[in-house]
Amino acid sequence: MAGELKLKELSKKQDLFTHGHRMCAGCGAPTLVKMVLLATEYPIIASNATGCLEVSSCISEYTAWKIPWIHSAFENAAATISGVETMYRALKKKGKIQRDIKFIAFGGDGGTYDIGLQSLSGAMERGHDMLYICYDNGAYMNTGIQRSSATPRGADTTTSPVGSVIPGKTQRRKDLTRIMASHNIPYAAQASPSHWLDLMKKVRKALDANGPTFMNIISPCNRGWRSKTDDSIALSRLAVETCYWPLYEIENGVTKVTFKPKEKKPLVEFLRPQGRFKHLFAPENEALLKQLEADVDTEWQRLLKESVDKEKK
């Protein structure tokens, strides 16, 4: 039986993603990985797509992982862990494994939204009993801050540079959480390290579901976001409170908003601390800034209408 999700109890658990890794100071990814691994009592086997998390957590014979962990290429973390899960089921059927083991694939937004989408979609469609977690920092951060399809509109990246031609990325970000839910999987959710209890509850739900599950977790990157090194949690909280990154889940086709801000904050409070958006506050980009605010408001209202909570009012 899983223990209570209380800080006092969690502090007694073994840290399965340890210090000594070489992630950047202030990176959001190691924080959320610690939360994910602390949330569960199951033995975990993980695969990890090439990306910031992979290259910085296992160098030569040194590793920060205290679980069985497999480095995959950019495009096939989902395929790798689905193969391991298939072997596990076969060995369990033969009586060679008795324990219940769970399987997680970690990937950044580049390896998930773009390069690994095909293998992820295939694993979801085949119905493997696995959880895929995307740590979404909104660009290809470890290779030089190139735009990905998770990059928000208006962001300044090295391949969507702000200048006389374009005001940053001109396209809206892909809504990957909805795309994954459309595979009719038992569970899909968005989470944030600023709301740790919500995140951990969702990890437990995802791992207890019978079948493929998906979580999209916002992961601030101070290098790419050009923000302070000590504001990872503050920015992820602002993302939630401005509804840029709403917290919700889709369980067996039923949508539920899991956190509603008492008073929704203006989007600019999330954008202003980030250097990648500083050009949006110039007078000539006022229309673009209003468009971004309208995009967030439209999506938030749509989500509220879809949420089962509206039926309780």
Side-chain angles (χ1 to χ4, degrees):
M1 182 177 177
E4 292 185 89
L5 289 175
K6 294 184 176 179
L7 290 176
K8 184 177 180 180
E9 300 303 318
L10 293 171
S11 68
K12 299 174 184 176
K13 295 186 67 176
Q14 182 186 8
D15 196 349
L16 298 176
F17 187 79
T18 66
H19 58 276
H21 57 73
R22 300 176 190 181
M23 302 292 282
C24 299
C27 173
T31 304
L32 70 88
V33 171
K34 282 175 181 281
M35 291 180 182
V36 168
L37 296 179
L38 279 173
T40 181
E41 307 288 346
Y42 289 112
I44 299 292
I45 297 175
S47 68
N48 196 169
T50 297
C52 298
L53 179 63
E54 173 271 322
V55 300
S56 302
S57 64
C58 190
I59 301 171
S60 186
E61 69 267 39
Y62 302 102
T63 181
W65 300 85
K66 298 301 181 185
I67 60 172
W69 175 89
I70 307 165
H71 168 214
S72 290
F74 240 133
E75 69 276 14
N76 62 352
T80 298
I81 207 65
S82 65
V84 177
E85 185 266 347
T86 301
M87 180 183 69
Y88 160 75
R89 282 190 284 113
L91 293 175
K92 199 166 187 184
K93 191 175 181 180
K94 293 177 180 178
K96 295 183 177 181
I97 294 177
Q98 279 74 45
R99 293 189 301 168
D100 290 330
I101 300 172
K102 297 294 182 179
F103 302 89
I104 300 177
F106 290 96
D109 52 278
T112 306
Y113 282 68
D114 298 337
I115 302 173
L117 183 60
Q118 181 179 357
S119 71
L120 172 58
S121 178
M124 298 290 109
E125 185 273 333
R126 291 191 300 273
H128 294 280
D129 191 6
M130 56 174 277
L131 166 60
Y132 191 103
I133 291 179
C134 175
Y135 62 99
D136 185 343
N137 55 27
Y140 290 85
M141 298 304 187
N142 76 311
T143 55
I145 316 174
Q146 296 91 359
R147 55 93 77 195
S148 75
S149 57
T151 304
R153 179 151 60 185
D156 183 16
T157 74
T158 54
T159 49
S160 58
V162 173
S164 58
V165 179
I166 57 172
K169 188 187 173 193
T170 55
Q171 301 85 9
R172 291 181 66 171
R173 59 190 300 274
K174 187 187 294 180
D175 191 343
L176 186 63
T177 307
R178 286 183 185 274
I179 292 171
M180 288 298 104
S182 71
H183 286 68
N184 295 318
I185 58 178
Y187 191 77
Q190 282 196 175
S192 167
S194 59
H195 294 66
W196 63 270
L197 185 57
D198 176 84
L199 186 155
M200 288 184 164
K201 285 181 177 178
K202 287 171 177 171
V203 171
R204 287 191 169 183
K205 273 191 175 183
L207 291 176
D208 285 337
N210 182 24
T213 55
F214 175 82
M215 287 182 64
N216 205 359
I217 306 177
I218 192 168
S219 178
C221 168
N222 55 68
R223 289 190 67 248
W225 294 18
R226 295 173 212 158
S227 53
K228 295 178 181 177
T229 56
D230 61 352
D231 63 0
S232 172
I233 297 300
L235 279 177
S236 56
R237 180 174 291 108
L238 281 171
V240 173
E241 293 178 344
T242 59
C243 299
Y244 167 81
W245 192 267
L247 302 185
Y248 70 99
E249 61 188 8
I250 303 174
E251 187 173 9
N252 296 316
V254 178
T255 302
K256 181 182 179 182
V257 173
T258 58
F259 176 80
K260 294 179 183 176
K262 290 182 180 177
E263 185 174 350
K264 179 179 172 298
K265 293 185 176 179
L267 180 63
V268 293
E269 294 193 25
F270 172 64
L271 303 180
R272 198 180 294 278
Q274 303 178 53
R276 62 176 175 161
F277 295 122
K278 69 177 183 180
H279 58 286
L280 296 179
F281 297 94
E284 63 270 23
N285 288 324
E286 183 179 0
L288 177 56
L289 187 57
K290 287 184 177 178
Q291 181 60 56
L292 293 174
E293 292 173 333
D295 291 345
V296 168
D297 289 344
T298 299
E299 285 302 311
W300 177 238
Q301 290 305 316
R302 182 170 76 150
L303 195 55
L304 290 178
K305 288 180 181 177
E306 294 173 352
S307 176
V308 292
D309 281 1
K310 67 182 176 62
E311 298 173 358
K312 298 176 182 176
K313 294 178 181 177

